[in-house]
Amino acid sequence: GLNAVLLNKDDNRTVNMAVRVADHTAASQFEPLWLRGTGLDVPRGQTLGESPITPQGIWSPVPQPALAVRDGVLTVLVPPAAAVLLRSL
């Protein structure tokens, strides 16, 4: 399968990212795993898979709806201070 990581290193703006998926690829949907924070310089309060990360590094991700490819393009809104791992389904 295909995997991609999208990063938004801006503390203030959401970024609209478009990823062109190769024509020969069968992937039509991607499963997102979000890493979110309240700011790039904030050492606490991050979530992974919409679940808080404990001080011991433990979390229980919550399944998220798949993101669909449309006309060969996957469009993702990445919030400030966030990243997303996209795994093809």
Side-chain angles (χ1 to χ4, degrees):
L2 295 175
N3 296 310
V5 175
L6 305 179
L7 305 169
N8 183 356
K9 297 189 297 182
D10 191 302
D11 259 342
N12 302 305
R13 292 181 301 143
T14 295
V15 176
N16 186 2
M17 297 188 182
V19 178
R20 175 145 315 273
V21 179
D23 292 336
H24 66 278
T25 303
S28 63
Q29 293 187 323
F30 287 81
E31 175 185 42
L33 179 64
W34 290 96
L35 173 62
R36 300 179 196 258
T38 56
L40 295 174
D41 60 349
V42 180
R44 297 188 182 181
Q46 293 83 9
T47 61
L48 183 58
E50 305 304 328
S51 175
I53 303 168
T54 70
Q56 296 77 26
I58 299 169
W59 75 96
S60 298
V62 177
Q64 298 297 301
L67 304 175
V69 174
R70 302 221 191 287
D71 298 322
V73 177
L74 178 65
T75 302
V76 183
L77 292 174
V78 183
V84 61
L85 167 65
L86 302 168
R87 297 184 298 177
S88 65
L89 299 175

